[in-house]
Structure formats: structure tokens, C-alpha cells
């Protein structure tokens, strides 16, 4: 287990977002990121948790592939990255950075309409 401050973790998340390829960043649309320590009980009950028993991240919104011409004046989609799960899973700061980067890419893939099943087929796990 590795521990970092909330500020350090948030910076790790933003570093992972900034490291996304330019062609991905250019296509993010109406999307915000937030960092929280852990999910609520409601979030945990509505989603399948990882093999480690906790959520690393969560995408809330309408994927780009499902948006129609009637998509306007909509609140931004939201990607939440959870600090606690990452800290519990990771054994070093390097491992934490890599896991956060993986989680950010995974949740951004959902923004692009890629399902967990498809990510699994692509070997993204």
C-alpha cells in the first residue's frame, strides 16, 4: 500500500490526463474529471467492483457514440477517480502512477463508447 496526500493524488491524475495522446484530448467533449477519496455506498452498490473489491474510477454520462443531434445544453459527463482504491492496490509511487494512468484511459474509453467487454477483448485489462 502506498499513501499520498490528496493534492499529490490529484496531481497524479492530472498528469495522467495530460499524458493522453493529443488526438484523444482533442476529441474529449463536454467532459470533466474529479478526484474523490472513495465512492459512496450507492456507487458501490450500482457498479461491479474490481477484483480488488473497490472502484478505481467511474464514468457518468452519455458516451460520444450515443449522442444525437439533440444533445445540447447537457451537463458535462464526469469521470471520477478514487484515491483509496489506488492506494490500497499499489505498492509504490511508480505503481500508483501507472495504475492511475490505466484508470484514466479506461474511463476515457467509456466516454468514447467502448464497453468493459470490448476493452477486455482488446486486452486493455
Amino acid at each position: 500500500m502506498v499513501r499520498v496526500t490528496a493534492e499529490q493524488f490529484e496531481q497524479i491524475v492530472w498528469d495522467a490526463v495530460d499524458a493522453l495522446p493529443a488526438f484523444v484530448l482533442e476529441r474529449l467533449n463536454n467532459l470533466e474529471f474529479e478526484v474523490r477519496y472513495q465512492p459512496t455506498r450507492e456507487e458501490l452498490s450500482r457498479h461491479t467492483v474490481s477484483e480488488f473489491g473497490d472502484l478505481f474510477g467511474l464514468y457518468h454520462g452519455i458516451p460520444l457514440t450515443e449522442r444525437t443531434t439533440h444533445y445540447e445544453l447537457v451537463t458535462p459527463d464526469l469521470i471520477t477517480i478514487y484515491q483509496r482504491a489506488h492506494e490500497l492496490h499499489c505498492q509504490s509511487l511508480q505503481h500508483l502512477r501507472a495504475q492511475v494512468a490505466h484508470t484514466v484511459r479506461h474511463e476515457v474509453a467509456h466516454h468514447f463508447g467502448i464497453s468493459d467487454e470490448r476493452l477486455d477483448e482488446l486486452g486493455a485489462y
Side-chain angles (χ1 to χ4, degrees):
M1 181 169 78
V2 64
R3 292 265 190 200
V4 294
T5 67
E7 293 80 16
Q8 290 170 318
F9 188 77
E10 188 168 332
Q11 186 59 55
I12 291 168
V13 171
W14 283 114
D15 290 347
V17 172
D18 290 342
L20 292 170
F23 72 90
V24 171
L25 291 170
E26 292 167 359
R27 288 168 179 80
L28 297 181
N29 183 280
N30 200 31
L31 175 67
E32 292 185 8
F33 289 84
E34 78 170 345
V35 175
R36 293 202 347 241
Y37 184 68
Q38 64 186 23
T40 64
R41 288 178 194 246
E42 182 181 328
E43 289 168 332
L44 284 172
S45 69
R46 285 186 291 150
H47 299 279
T48 305
V49 295
S50 74
E51 64 183 281
F52 304 103
D54 215 344
L55 285 175
F56 286 84
L58 197 55
Y59 170 74
H60 305 271
I62 301 170
L64 295 176
T65 55
E66 295 178 20
R67 295 181 185 179
T68 68
T69 56
H70 300 291
Y71 181 86
E72 54 189 44
L73 300 174
V74 177
T75 58
D77 290 5
L78 180 65
I79 289 177
T80 306
I81 307 296
Y82 300 107
Q83 182 174 346
R84 180 180 178 273
H86 286 88
E87 287 180 332
L88 290 173
H89 173 68
C90 297
Q91 301 304 314
S92 68
L93 187 56
Q94 181 180 2
H95 186 202
L96 179 69
R97 289 181 185 282
Q99 183 62 51
V100 168
H102 175 83
T103 302
V104 166
R105 289 189 308 268
H106 176 98
E107 300 307 333
V108 166
H110 290 322
H111 176 67
F112 283 96
I114 302 171
S115 69
D116 283 330
E117 293 76 20
R118 182 65 180 138
L119 286 169
D120 193 34
E121 289 171 8
L122 295 169
Y125 283 104

